[in-house]
Every structure is written in C-alpha cells, then in structure tokens.
Amino acid sequence: MALDIFKEKGVPLDRQVFTWKDLVRRPYSKLDDDAFTRVCVIYMNGIMADALRTKHAIARMNRDLREPLALVRRVEQHEQTLINWLNPPDQTPLETTLGFEQVAIEVTASVALREPDPYLAQTYRFGLLEDFDHLYRYGALYDRLEGKDPNSITQSYTDILAGRPTSVEHRNPLDDLRRPYDKRTAVPLTKLHAMSITAAENQTHDYYMTVGPFFSDPVARQLYAEIASIEEQHTSMYESLLDPDETVLEKLVMHECMQVYNFYSCLAYEKNPRIKEIWQRFTDYELGQLHHMIQLFQQVEGRDAAEILPKTLPDPIGFKEHREFVRKTLNQEEDLASNGPDYVRMADLPRDHRSFVYRDQLNSDGSPSETVAAGYQWTPGTELAARAQRMGSVLEGKKVH
Amino acid sequence: MKKTTSDLGMNRTGIATSPVDSADIIQAAQKRQPSHLGDDSLILKVRQQYAVESDGIGSVPPPTSLKGSNSKPTVFIDKLGERAAFERSGVRLYQGALAKFEVLGSWEGGPTREGLTRILNDELSHFGLVSEVLTKLGADPTAMTPCADVAAVTSMGLPAVVSDPRMNLRDTLHALLVAELTDNAGWEMLIELSRGLGHDTLAERFQLALDAEAEHLTLVRNWLSAGVTLEARATPVPRAEAGPGLTPTV
Ligand SMILES: [Fe+2]
Ligand SMILES: [Fe+2]
Ligand SMILES: [Fe+2]
Ligand SMILES: [Fe+2]
Ligand SMILES: [Fe+2]
C-alpha cells in the first residue's frame, strides 16, 4: 500500500495541463458531501497556497532558481485553483471559516498523535486547543448572526466547545517562537508535519484577512480581526519549527514530498469519486514535480535525495474525528502558556509577563471573542431551538396570547 | 442536470445523520461551561455602539437643478436611484431565468418564454422610465445612491441564485418572487412619495409601472406554486427532455 516515491515517477511536468473548464468544475455539495470532503479541499488549498508562497519567497532571493521555480509554480497555481474552486457558492465565508477551523482541529490532532518528536507534538497540542476554541467562537457567531447551526457544517464529528479562550491566546511575538527540529536528526515525518501545519495555518490567516471585511456586523469584523491575529501567531509558531539551516533546495524537495504526502492522504480518505479522481491526478502531478525537484537538487548539491526523503510515504493523515484525544488534551493542557519557546502553566508566569502586558493592552477596549460567545453553549438546531422549546408549542402559544 | 429540487438523498447537515456522535457532542456541550457570562445581546450592544459612531454609507450626489421644491429633494432622487438600479438588476435576473428555461424547459402552469420575456422587457422599460425622470430632475442616473446600495445589499442573494447552475428554474423563481415582492412595495412607496411631493404626473406614470409589477408578482407566484405542487405530486418536473433546441411545454 505504501507509496514508493522513488519508483513512482508520476506525470512529467510538461504533461501537467489544464483548461478553464477543467479548472472550474462542479463543486462538492455543502449539504450532501461528508464534512471531511470539505476539510480536504480547504486543507489542500492551503498546502498549494504554501507551495506558491514558498517558491515566490525563494525566487525573490535566488537568481538561478527562478526558471525552474516558475515552471513548477504555474502548474501549482492551477492545481490550487481547481481545488479552491471546489468550494460551492452557497457556502458562505462564515461557513467556510467553520471548515477552516475543523481542518485546524482534526488535521492537527492527527499530526499531534503521530509526531515522534515530543516537543513538536506538544506544540501541535498547544495550537490545537486554540483552534478548537476558534470553532466555538465562530460557531457562536454563526448561530447568533444568522440563526444557523454550526454543526450542519461540522456534521457531529467535532465538539463545539470553549477551548483555551481566544482572549488569552494573545502573546508577545517572542513567546510564539519555538525551537526548530534539527534537519540532521529529525525523521522525514517530523519535517512533513511541520511544513504541512505551517501551510494550513498560513492559509487560514490569509483567508480571514480576505473575508473579514465582507462582514457588516462590527463584532464579526472584530472577531475576524482577533482570530486572524492568532492565526498569524500560529503561522509564526509553526514555521519556527522548521530548521532554518536546511538548504533552499532541501526545502524545495521536502515541500514537493509534503505535497505528494498530503494529496496521497486525501486520496486514501476520499469516497466521492469526482473528488477522489482529482486527488489521484494531483498525487501523480506532484510526484512528477518531486522528481523534477530531486533532479535539480542532485545537480546543484551533488547529494543523493535519498539522504533526506523517506523511502516510502508515512501513513496517510487521519481525516476523521479525534474527540477523545482533543478532550483529553483540553483536560490536561488548557492552562498552558509559553515563555519564549518553553511551555509553562499560565499561573506560573509572573503577572507582569510580557505576554500578559501585550494581551491586556489588546483586550482593553473589550474582547470580541468573549462578546460573541458570552453564555454560549452549542445546542443542536441553534440556541434558539432551546429557547423556542421553552416557549412551548405554537398551539399552546396561541392559547396563551 | 437536475430539474427537481426536493429529492431524497444523503443530506448530512442534521444531527440524525450520526446519532451516536451527535449524542456524544451534545453531552459534551452541556457539560462544558461557557468561558464568559452573558448572552446574545452583547453582540447587539457593540452594534449599537458602532451605530452611534457611524456616518452612514454615503450620500446623494448634488443635482444640477432642482425645480419647485421646498422639501429635501435628495430623498426623492435617492429613492428614484434605488428604483432605477433595482429595475436594471431585474433585467439581469430575467435573462438568467430565460437561460435556465431554455435548457431545463418548464412545467404545466410554469413559466413561458413569452411570460419571462415580457417581464424582462417591463423591467428594462421601467429602468428607462426612472432614468429619464432622474435626468429631467437634473440628477445623474448613473450614480449609485445610498438607497440603491441598501437595496442591492438587501437582495445580494438574488443574482447568486439565478446564476448558480446547480439551482434550477424553480429555485430561480423563488429568487424572482422575492424580487417582485420588493418591486411592488417599492413602486407603491415611490408613488406615495411622488404624490406627497406634488409630482402628480409622475405618479400617474409610475402607477402604470406598478400595474405591470402586480402582474409580474401574480405570474411568478403562480409559476412557482405550480412547480412545487407538481413535484409534490411526484410528477417529474419538468417533463420535457432538456437539450439545445428544446421546445418547452407551455
Ligand atoms: Fe483557528
Ligand atoms: Fe490556527
Ligand atoms: Fe508541487
Ligand atoms: Fe420591476
Ligand atoms: Fe417586476
């Protein structure tokens, strides 16, 4: 079953072509498709956004790599388009947002469970509890702004509960930075994990920054501002796990491998044949891109790519619910904070710690995440369903009035 | 292509889709207390606070000339601007409906090409009428006035339904129904406003438009109702096979 990435050459780069009709396909169904189909689409859009972002950053600083990067990047932009355009138009930005947080919870949980390095695993659990709280805040917003049930998007896979409260997640920038893995000793899975979650979080940030201004309600606008700020923290935190001493080509090879791994994971999960076919096609495309990059790596660095790549791909990401794990983590680590790269109990930090000063300043005009979810407990059918029930049936209602 | 709306399928949005998981998350939600006290009124308080500080969304551009009026003339111009914009957008809605009609066909008691085309032309001529009035009043008919913007934000979902290829002709009629309901009320209020301002000749011309709108509403409502009733009786809606050059059942 495991994919041998050295043997499998995929589709050569010059045969990775599209048409506009091909790029703009029938979207998945918001109502009928499984929540994890949406999760995969949102997640892979983030992975591909990062493929572009990484290559652009490198191209700005490297003359020799500009041409090979341009060639791969154009295909990746089209792959991302095809994926992102699978989101259906009846899915509002807020509904897609609920999907983003479900990605951040379930994918990060899968990663945290399998991460062999305990410090990185701790970091994933730390971030997980914060995204877990975001789902609850956005869920409250969805219920209270539009009168709709957030669980119709998350489909009973994921708890909608307060996590580590968003209002206490705000930290001094220096308390978001972590110790990177060591490229010489870290196993490939550790690198794949760190790159994947960094990509997902960066896209989450960019998405909130794009859709936040579309909202008319001031609390919604504030909440997007607040959570976007946390996603920027998460991006800083996760990207600081990456070893800055990896060479540029080493990073590029691992990134292509990471893309193969993630497409392959979606392929292993997906049941909708129309979507599955796309994951198969892009697994093959990314294998082609990986080999293109391996060649470049071997040419330039004179090293064997087998030194850095896994022989076969690790087990696919678990696109499934992780409620037990998340609840256990919440139970044990809700009150964690960070002091520089170290995790500590929040109560053990001095009251004048730089992160407290920072967060008190930001929250001093009120806290959007507290306002939106004040007294909120998720109830099936929205909190109004419970209220309507207390009011009695329509028939009884008529009798009363 | 799908012509029906209410078919049985794998909808996963309700808690009954996975009773075991649902029972589990309901229990967990009841056990965990909210992190902060209060209720849904706090959002409204912040909204009120911002409302107090707000300057509105914008203004009506100054008309070049304003004849015989000692009232606030920009109100009339604003409402005319709204009407012109809404009628103009209405044309696009009916173009979209006709495109769906051509590919999906109709049903017994459903829309006809003639009916849809007639309404489309009415909306276009109403747009022309109001633009002309605006010009005569010395106002700029191409300006987006505040009321025009409010009406457009209000009806943002209408073009979204009409242009979504996954939503069929019957779904589209629901959007048209919303449009026509607003359309009717809009003209009624515009006529009242015109009379109140002493624009009696205008009011009479607007009354003709309102008469047409009343017919639009009846037509659209009946088409939609016939479609829903037919599908409920398990009659395939529509019967005609789709394809280019299709002759719809009229
Ligand atoms: Fe988040
Ligand atoms: Fe996050
Ligand atoms: Fe790639
Ligand atoms: Fe009209
Ligand atoms: Fe009309």
Side-chain angles (χ1 to χ4, degrees):
Chain A
M1 256 316 276
L3 189 66
D4 183 339
I5 54 176
F6 290 99
K7 243 172 63 193
E8 301 291 337
K9 303 283 191 233
V11 174
L13 200 57
D14 56 4
R15 287 198 3 237
Q16 303 185 4
V17 292
F18 302 87
T19 68
W20 305 121
K21 182 76 198 313
D22 177 28
L23 290 180
V24 181
R25 292 164 169 238
R26 266 165 61 203
Y28 62 80
S29 166
K30 176 179 90 171
L31 306 181
D32 289 7
D33 270 304
D34 195 277
F36 279 101
T37 295
R38 172 174 31 247
V39 161
C40 284
V41 166
I42 292 174
Y43 178 56
M44 292 317 295
N45 176 57
I47 296 296
M48 295 318 288
D50 199 65
L52 268 80
R53 183 185 296 118
T54 305
K55 288 182 179 66
H56 275 301
I58 293 173
R60 286 169 203 190
M61 293 174 241
N62 189 310
R63 194 179 301 271
D64 297 338
L65 288 174
R66 286 189 172 184
E67 284 192 4
L69 291 181
L71 290 172
V72 179
R73 206 172 52 219
R74 183 61 50 83
V75 177
E76 289 176 332
Q77 200 276 343
H78 289 153
E79 291 177 272
Q80 189 195 346
T81 305
L82 195 157
I83 296 164
N84 199 18
W85 267 233
L86 290 172
N87 287 302
D90 55 334
Q91 187 170 286
T92 64
L94 184 48
E95 289 170 334
T96 305
T97 295
L98 297 169
F100 264 95
E101 295 299 348
Q102 192 167 33
V103 168
I105 296 163
E106 303 298 356
V107 176
T108 311
S110 170
V111 163
L113 276 164
R114 290 163 184 192
E115 173 54 49
D117 181 318
Y119 178 70
L120 274 81
Q122 171 69 83
T123 300
Y124 298 128
R125 294 197 303 276
F126 185 77
L128 166 66
L129 289 188
E130 304 195 332
D131 288 314
F132 184 67
D133 191 70
H134 299 168
L135 177 64
Y136 166 73
R137 308 288 156 178
Y138 281 129
L141 180 69
Y142 186 59
D143 186 335
R144 290 174 167 182
L145 206 60
E146 302 181 8
K148 295 197 264 182
D149 181 351
N151 189 55
S152 67
I153 298 296
T154 49
Q155 299 178 359
S156 298
Y157 287 117
T158 310
D159 277 319
I160 302 172
L161 304 174
R164 177 178 307 124
T166 298
S167 57
V168 306
E169 294 170 8
H170 307 290
R171 287 176 288 273
N172 181 287
L174 299 180
D175 292 323
D176 286 320
L177 301 183
R178 302 289 174 260
R179 281 185 290 273
Y181 61 72
D182 184 333
K183 66 163 182 169
R184 294 160 306 178
T185 53
V187 298
L189 182 61
T190 291
K191 302 176 183 178
L192 298 178
H193 279 164
M195 273 190 296
S196 300
I197 300 299
T198 302
E201 293 290 325
N202 206 332
Q203 181 55 27
T204 307
H205 168 263
D206 292 359
Y207 185 75
Y208 297 166
M209 292 301 281
T210 305
V211 304
F214 283 104
F215 288 83
S216 40
D217 178 72
V219 172
R221 293 173 80 88
Q222 286 189 352
L223 186 68
Y224 272 88
E226 183 182 11
I227 297 185
S229 174
I230 299 297
E231 304 304 354
E232 163 60 18
Q233 291 189 197
H234 287 175
T235 305
S236 303
M237 174 171 86
Y238 291 126
E239 83 183 359
S240 69
L241 296 172
L242 306 170
D243 188 339
D245 294 329
E246 285 166 332
T247 66
V248 163
L249 272 159
E250 202 170 338
K251 283 195 187 297
L252 285 169
V253 169
M254 284 312 288
H255 207 293
E256 294 305 330
C257 176
M258 176 274 265
Q259 296 163 47
V260 175
Y261 171 59
N262 282 303
F263 278 121
Y264 165 79
S265 296
C266 293
L267 177 63
Y269 159 74
E270 188 57 62
K271 288 166 208 78
N272 178 335
R274 276 197 307 118
I275 310 287
K276 196 180 180 75
E277 177 230 331
I278 296 166
W279 302 143
Q280 179 66 64
R281 176 177 168 193
F282 289 171
T283 302
D284 295 337
Y285 278 21
E286 290 303 335
L287 279 166
Q289 295 171 25
L290 173 63
H291 283 279
H292 179 85
M293 218 54 97
I294 288 176
Q295 258 190 341
L296 203 63
F297 173 81
Q298 304 195 145
Q299 256 171 36
V300 175
E301 301 211 354
R303 286 202 281 160
D304 187 353
E307 284 175 31
I308 55 168
L309 288 171
K311 277 186 207 62
T312 56
L313 283 186
D315 287 344
I317 304 243
F319 292 110
K320 60 183 188 63
E321 59 89 7
H322 296 87
R323 291 198 297 277
E324 205 189 305
F325 172 69
V326 176
R327 286 175 193 170
K328 194 180 115 213
T329 306
L330 182 64
N331 199 25
Q332 297 173 352
E333 303 182 0
E334 182 191 340
D335 66 334
L336 280 197
S338 58
N339 183 22
D342 299 312
Y343 294 103
V344 294
R345 295 285 160 193
M346 209 174 279
D348 291 342
L349 288 176
R351 292 208 63 88
D352 61 350
H353 189 267
R354 61 189 174 192
S355 274
F356 292 157
V357 175
Y358 170 86
R359 120 189 154 190
D360 290 346
Q361 158 62 37
L362 269 172
N363 289 333
S364 60
D365 253 349
S367 162
S369 56
E370 289 177 12
T371 301
V372 77
Y376 187 73
Q377 269 178 308
W378 172 75
T379 316
T382 78
E383 64 181 355
L384 295 181
R387 211 171 291 174
Q389 208 169 31
R390 283 198 298 275
M391 198 180 249
S393 75
V394 175
L395 198 68
E396 285 161 347
K398 270 185 185 160
K399 274 181 192 162
V400 173
H401 298 296
Chain B
M1 182 164 61
K2 194 148 160 293
K3 299 170 184 179
T4 46
T5 297
S6 315
D7 299 320
L8 185 70
M10 264 309 296
N11 183 308
R12 295 174 199 266
T13 56
I15 49 164
T17 308
S18 36
V20 176
D21 289 305
S22 297
D24 185 48
I25 63 167
I26 290 168
Q27 202 190 24
Q30 283 167 349
K31 272 205 322 231
R32 181 131 173 116
Q33 288 306 304
S35 59
H36 299 88
L37 295 174
D39 57 26
D40 52 4
S41 68
L42 297 194
I43 297 180
L44 304 175
K45 292 253 163 54
V46 176
R47 214 182 280 172
Q48 288 167 335
Q49 182 200 333
Y50 271 82
V52 169
E53 296 164 3
S54 161
D55 259 343
I57 53 169
S59 61
V60 179
T64 49
S65 63
L66 270 175
K67 304 164 210 160
S69 175
N70 49 8
S71 55
K72 184 177 172 182
T74 45
V75 174
F76 195 41
I77 288 168
D78 196 5
K79 296 309 280 183
L80 287 168
E82 169 194 324
R83 216 53 268 128
F86 198 88
E87 299 298 320
R88 189 175 54 197
S89 298
V91 176
R92 298 301 185 195
L93 299 183
Y94 281 93
Q95 283 180 328
L98 270 162
K100 282 187 183 171
F101 172 87
E102 276 164 19
V103 70
L104 293 165
S106 188
W107 52 86
E108 207 188 316
T112 62
R113 185 190 306 276
E114 294 70 28
L116 289 169
T117 310
R118 207 197 97 198
I119 304 183
L120 184 151
N121 287 330
D122 282 349
E123 307 295 0
L124 188 58
S125 80
H126 295 169
F127 163 52
L129 165 68
V130 184
S131 295
E132 185 194 308
V133 171
L134 276 163
T135 308
K136 279 201 180 129
L137 291 169
D140 179 356
T142 67
M144 186 189 292
T145 70
C147 281
D149 193 37
V150 170
V153 171
T154 306
S155 52
M156 232 179 232
L158 304 181
V161 169
V162 171
S163 59
D164 191 332
R166 303 167 311 154
M167 298 190 184
N168 61 28
L169 183 58
R170 209 190 85 193
D171 303 329
T172 296
L173 281 170
H174 184 260
L176 297 178
L177 178 65
V178 173
E180 293 298 352
L181 284 164
T182 311
D183 226 359
N184 273 269
W187 280 106
E188 279 166 15
M189 289 189 286
L190 189 63
I191 291 167
E192 281 168 31
L193 184 64
S194 306
R195 289 203 198 286
L197 294 170
H199 294 295
D200 287 340
T201 334
L202 282 185
E204 272 161 40
R205 290 180 73 187
F206 292 166
Q207 181 61 49
L208 295 178
L210 176 59
D211 293 345
E213 297 296 358
E215 283 179 50
H216 299 176
L217 181 57
T218 310
L219 282 170
V220 169
R221 204 202 155 283
N222 291 345
W223 290 336
L224 175 57
S225 174
V228 175
T229 311
L230 269 176
E231 188 176 334
R233 286 204 214 114
T235 308
V237 181
R239 297 192 124 142
E241 270 312 305
L246 154 106
T247 320
T249 18
V250 177

